[in-house]
Amino acid sequence: IVLEILDPNGRRLSMVSSKATRSRTVAEDSTLSDREAVWFRITEEMMNDLNAALDKQISKHFLIWRR
């Protein structure tokens, strides 16, 4: 994910970016319900990682634009 602050002429004034990945091995004989539960958990964990990383960067690099 890349977030940019641009001036009216389209020039970048500031930028933050982050990437998050997660993986988990699931047993071959897992039920669909079990697989969906694992998918939900890793998606939630990944989004929490991404949020934490972006929040830290936004606090540092977008300080003058925050209210």
Side-chain angles (χ1 to χ4, degrees):
I1 290 185
V2 176
L3 301 173
E4 298 178 311
I5 295 180
L6 306 174
D7 71 10
N9 296 318
R11 287 180 288 200
R12 183 173 31 194
L13 301 175
S14 192
M15 178 200 80
V16 297
S17 66
S18 189
K19 179 180 177 180
T21 60
R22 288 275 179 150
S23 65
R24 187 114 349 113
T25 301
V26 179
E28 195 172 315
D29 62 347
S30 295
T31 66
L32 178 58
S33 178
D34 290 342
R35 290 172 189 260
E36 288 175 341
V38 169
W39 179 259
F40 179 83
R41 279 195 305 275
I42 65 173
T43 300
E44 187 173 47
E45 292 167 359
M46 181 183 65
M47 294 309 297
N48 287 336
D49 293 345
L50 187 60
N51 185 60
L54 287 172
D55 191 46
K56 185 177 179 180
Q57 289 185 51
I58 287 168
S59 294
K60 182 178 179 182
H61 297 289
F62 287 5
L63 186 62
I64 63 175
W65 293 281
R66 292 183 67 189
R67 294 181 187 194

